[in-house]
């Protein structure tokens, strides 16, 4: 089974709705054609909305990942007998696979898609000499095991490739999962999604009987063509490796920091798989994050630990991460842009909006820059943020990080106190509203009762003269009786 | 038979009616008296026994009286009048006491009392003494249920009781005007007819006198119905041993023994509060009829004040404590 995520930006909601509607309609009507090309079109459309859309349609054996929920919709593993053919993976290996599968059984055989084949032809033409692969246009690119790091784009130096391979292989030996990187430049394929999936299967990536592995596929010619493929079902990967992470890696590539992007990818996968092995909770994953990044050594050792733990506590308490970062200089760069770039590079903040509260302390100018998303947390209203800024700027620069965290703590304390007071106040007012209603009822009852007229003795007039009634005939005349026994 | 043989108040001898002269004749002294000469004193002395008026109207079926009554016109004035016993001051105090303690009295009502805007009103009424004789059959049954050795048994006995009898009603007032609602008139009863005086202009001076709008025929028809209902009710009282009673039509005749008209004295307080309202007081007994509507504006304002007051205290308290 293979989990795939496409790092494309979210499309407009209208397009998303249209796509969902069309896909749903086609599924409902059973009109999904068994052709892979058609399936690929649908997949492509679905992937264009991958910010929230569940990419549930793929060719055989490939299930999607619900990015919005960060949960794997697939799961399970691929059969060992299907090493060389992606399409021949066992359909019964995953129930969700069979649910989401739209291609026919014939499509699930060895046939490769047009996207893959055309790309392979292109690659074989260009790279056959370099890769030492076979010249069979429809065959795999590599005759043996695929390289751990395949730099078809030629953007990595040999030493960088060696270092990356070393990192990947070291982890692979420990965990039994393969970590791979494949960089291309100008793939001639209609559908990068299909290509990446079949590339993984077709070239025999993965370790062990289950072909466990995670492959990063990047087409540098197309900034949107970055994807990872895996046949490891791991909620940890889904948790960590969401589109934000993809974007972090993609950002590095876009910045032409190819080695850094690959390194970040490896570290993230390692972290995710370690998390998966330990069956950690998402909270523990958060714990492992770095809240204090002291690049210029502003914060002493003991203080660093203290600040880190306090930031972590604040994060746990508010679900809003608090970061303290110190740098020597930001150079000539606009502070706002620098801070944003810094946040993206270090993966600070949650979610697509880098939700969090970051304080950047610049040593050479002694300036402090704060950044937060609007409406990112009810704990930090504008007034509180102003208070934090004031608290942070009112002390010496060396003490500013401590003051910043303390200010955040005070803000939260004030918020909670205010919340409690507000709750108590509202409860009290509510109680008195009830009392007021009761008072109204009492007053009304009292007033109504007070308005009753005085009781006066009165009896119905009796005009009969006493003893004037004379009964001259009184005959009861018995007519008969009826007896019934039940 | 006292009612049929009234006595002359001077010598207490029985009076007899001379149809030829249309006068009552004292059997002892032979004096003869017209109706006008005799009624005031007679009513005052002997009204509880049927009234001297009976001497001037033979006890025959009331239907005959209705048929023989040529004119459907109402009388210009009543035969007798009951004088006011409750003074104006007492009446005002009575009205005040009637709703004492009420916080919702309309301003108009209070103002009317303060200004002593009450008026003396005489309401006309017909007074009848009647005897009702009748016969009625009923379909009745009795039911007995018991348990006999585990069996539920039910016995129903059917009867057709017959009742014949008579009843005498005295001083039955029938309101002679429609300007006083019947329920208020009922509430004001009883008026003591024994205190009635012969009608004179002097007695009613200074008071408003409501004119008759119910003539004799209409009043007699009402008293006939009333008399028959009274006899039926009496018959029913003798049938209490039966389970279900269905009465056949009553065959009865109502005999008028006496009839005359009288003016009832009433204190009337009128005020305007979202409409015209009146309170009536029996000027003999002090009994009051009618009702004063509550001043809802006062009530709503009081409720709003109470709500706002408690809420204001609550909000102040909450803000003082919790900011």
């Amino acid at each position: 089974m293979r989990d795939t995520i496409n790092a494309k930006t979210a499309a407009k909601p209208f397009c998303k709705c249209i796509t969902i509607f069309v896909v749903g309609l086609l599924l409902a009507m059973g009109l999904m054609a068994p052709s892979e090309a058609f399936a690929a079109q649908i997949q492509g459309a679905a992937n264009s909305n991958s910010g929230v859309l569940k990419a549930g349609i793929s060719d055989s054996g490939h299930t999607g990942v619900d990015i919005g929920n960060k949960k794997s919709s697939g799961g399970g593993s691929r059969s060992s007998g299907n090493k060389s053919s992606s399409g021949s993976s066992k359909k019964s290996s995953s129930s969700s696979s069979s649910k989401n599968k739209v291609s026919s059984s014939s499509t699930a055989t060895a046939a490769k898609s047009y996207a893959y084949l055309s790309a392979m032809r292109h690659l074989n033409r260009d790279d056959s000499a370099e890769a030492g692969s076979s010249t069979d246009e429809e065959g795999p690119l590599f005759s043996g095991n695929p390289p751990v790091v395949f730099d078809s784009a030629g953007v990595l130096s040999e030493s960088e490739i060696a270092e990356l391979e070393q990192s990947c292989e070291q982890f692979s030996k420990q965990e039994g999962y393969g970590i791979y990187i494949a960089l291309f430049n100008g793939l001639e394929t209609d559908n990068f999604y299909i290509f990446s999936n079949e590339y993984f299967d077709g070239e025999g990536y993965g370790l062990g009987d289950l072909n466990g592995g995670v492959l990063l596929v990047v087409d540098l010619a197309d900034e949107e063509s970055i994807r990872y493929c895996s046949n490891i079902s791991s909620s940890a990967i889904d948790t960590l490796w969401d589109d934000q992470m993809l974007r972090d890696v993609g950002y590095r590539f876009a910045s032409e920091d190819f080695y850094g992007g690959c390194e970040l990818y490896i570290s993230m996968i390692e972290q995710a798989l370690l998390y998966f092995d330990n069956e950690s909770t998402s909270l523990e994953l958060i714990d492992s994050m770095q809240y204090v990044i002291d690049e210029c050594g502003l914060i002493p050792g003991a203080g660093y630990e203290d600040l880190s733990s306090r930031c972590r506590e604040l994060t746990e308490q508010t679900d809003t991460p608090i970061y303290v970062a110190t740098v020597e200089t930001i150079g000539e760069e606009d502070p706002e842009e620098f801070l944003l770039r810094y946040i993206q590079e270090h993966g600070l903040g949650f979610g697509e909006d880098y939700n969090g509260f970051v304080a950047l302390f610049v040593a050479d100018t002694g300036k402090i820059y704060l950044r937060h998303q609007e409406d990112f947390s009810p704990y930090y209203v504008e007034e509180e943020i102003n208070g934090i800024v004031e608290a942070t700027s009112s002390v010496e620069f060396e003490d500013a990080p401590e003051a910043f965290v303390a200010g955040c703590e005070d803000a939260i304390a004030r918020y909670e106190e205010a919340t409690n007071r507000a709750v108590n106040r509202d409860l009290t007012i509510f109680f008195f509203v009830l009392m007021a209603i009761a008072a109204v009822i009492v007053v009304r009852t009292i007033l109504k009762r007070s308005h009753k007229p005085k009781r006066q003795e009165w009896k119905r007039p009796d005009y009969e003269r006493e003893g004037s009634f004379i009964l001259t005939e009184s005959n009861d005349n018995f007519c008969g009786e009826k007896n019934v026994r039940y | 038979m006292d009612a049929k043989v009234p006595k002359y108040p001077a010598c207490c001898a029985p009076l007899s009616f001379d149809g030829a002269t249309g006068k009552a004749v004292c059997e002892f002294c032979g004096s003869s008296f017209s109706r006008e000469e005799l009624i005031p004193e007679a009513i005052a002395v002997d009204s509880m026994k049927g009234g001297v008026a009976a001497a001037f109207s033979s006890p025959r079926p009331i239907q005959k009286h209705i048929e023989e009554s040529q004119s459907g016109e109402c009388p210009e004035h009543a035969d007798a009048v009951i004088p006011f016993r409750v003074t104006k001051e007492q009446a005002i105090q009575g009205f005040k006491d009637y709703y004492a303690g009420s916080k919702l009295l309309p301003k108009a009502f209070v103002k009317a009392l303060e200004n002593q805007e009450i008026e003396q009103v005489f309401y006309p009424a017909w007074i009848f003494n009647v005897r009702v004789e009748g016969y009625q059959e009923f379909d009745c049954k009795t039911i007995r249920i018991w348990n006999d050795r585990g069996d539920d048994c039910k016995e129903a006995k059917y009867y057709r009781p017959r009742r014949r009898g008579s009843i005498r009603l005295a001083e039955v007032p029938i309101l002679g005007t429609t300007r006083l609602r019947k329920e208020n008139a009922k509430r004001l009863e009883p008026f003591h007819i024994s205190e009635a005086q012969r009608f004179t202009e002097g007695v009613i001076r200074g008071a408003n006198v409501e004119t008759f709008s119910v003539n004799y025929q209409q009043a007699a028809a009402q008293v006939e119905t009333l008399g028959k209902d009274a006899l039926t009710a009496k018959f029913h009282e003798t049938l209490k041993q039966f389970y279900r009673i269905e009465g056949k039509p009553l065959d009865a005749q109502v005999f008028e023994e006496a009839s005359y008209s009288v003016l009832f004295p009433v204190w009337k307080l009128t005020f305007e509060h979202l409409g015209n309202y009146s309170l009536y007081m029996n000027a003999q007994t002090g009994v009051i009829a009618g009702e004063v509507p509550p001043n809802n504006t006062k009530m709503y304002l009081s409720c709003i004040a109470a709500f706002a007051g408690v809420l204001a205290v609550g909000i102040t308290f909450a803000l003082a404590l919790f900011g």
Side-chain angles (χ1 to χ4, degrees), chain B residues 111-305:
Chain B
K111 194 175 176 184
L113 280 178
E114 283 175 357
N115 297 337
Q116 300 191 347
E117 293 169 0
I118 62 173
E119 54 182 335
Q120 287 179 305
V121 183
F122 283 106
Y123 283 99
W126 295 96
I127 306 295
F128 288 90
N129 290 353
V130 292
R131 191 180 81 247
V132 188
E133 292 178 358
Y135 169 81
Q136 192 171 16
E137 291 184 356
F138 301 87
D139 280 336
C140 304
K141 71 177 178 180
T142 59
I143 290 177
R144 188 167 69 97
I145 297 171
W146 73 98
N147 189 282
D148 182 17
R149 288 167 292 183
D151 292 339
D152 289 330
C153 300
K154 182 179 178 183
E155 176 195 79
K157 290 185 176 180
Y158 298 91
Y159 298 87
R160 177 158 291 179
R162 296 173 188 163
R163 295 289 185 269
R164 187 185 300 276
S166 65
I167 187 172
R168 299 181 74 178
L169 305 177
E171 295 171 1
V172 180
I174 302 296
L175 195 62
T177 179
T178 53
R179 289 173 61 84
L180 178 64
R181 286 161 63 188
K182 279 187 178 176
E183 58 265 27
N184 284 335
K186 280 283 174 200
R187 187 77 179 81
L188 290 174
E189 285 185 43
F191 286 91
H192 302 308
I193 309 296
S194 58
E195 295 180 11
Q197 297 175 6
R198 180 174 179 168
F199 178 84
T200 58
E201 291 293 337
V203 177
I204 64 168
R205 187 169 295 130
N208 295 326
V209 181
E210 292 288 350
T211 54
F212 277 92
S213 56
V214 176
N215 60 27
Y216 171 81
Q217 288 95 324
Q218 292 166 330
Q222 287 184 44
V223 84
E224 185 180 22
T225 305
L226 197 145
K228 287 179 178 177
D229 290 346
L231 185 62
T232 300
K234 279 292 176 187
F235 285 157
H236 272 265
E237 285 180 12
T238 67
L239 300 169
K240 287 180 178 171
Q241 70 272 27
F242 296 109
Y243 167 66
R244 200 176 64 186
I245 303 163
E246 288 179 7
K248 303 286 183 187
L250 174 72
D251 179 15
Q253 271 199 317
V254 179
F255 298 92
E256 180 187 304
E257 294 182 339
S259 66
Y260 49 94
S261 56
V262 69
L263 293 177
F264 288 156
V266 172
W267 284 107
K268 182 181 177 185
L269 170 66
T270 304
F271 61 96
E272 198 168 330
H273 174 74
L274 303 173
N276 277 321
Y277 289 89
S278 296
L279 277 186
Y280 306 92
M281 177 188 283
N282 183 327
Q284 268 190 311
T285 61
V287 170
I288 297 173
E291 60 182 30
V292 178
N295 187 342
N296 284 329
T297 308
K298 261 186 190 175
M299 189 172 69
Y300 293 142
L301 286 176
S302 302
C303 290
I304 290 169

Side-chain angles (χ1 to χ4, degrees), chain B residues 14-36:
Chain B
L15 289 170
S16 61
F17 182 71
D18 183 356
T21 61
K23 289 188 175 183
V25 179
C26 175
E27 291 179 358
F28 179 75
C29 63
S31 303
S32 61
F33 306 92
S34 68
R35 173 190 174 94
E36 288 72 23

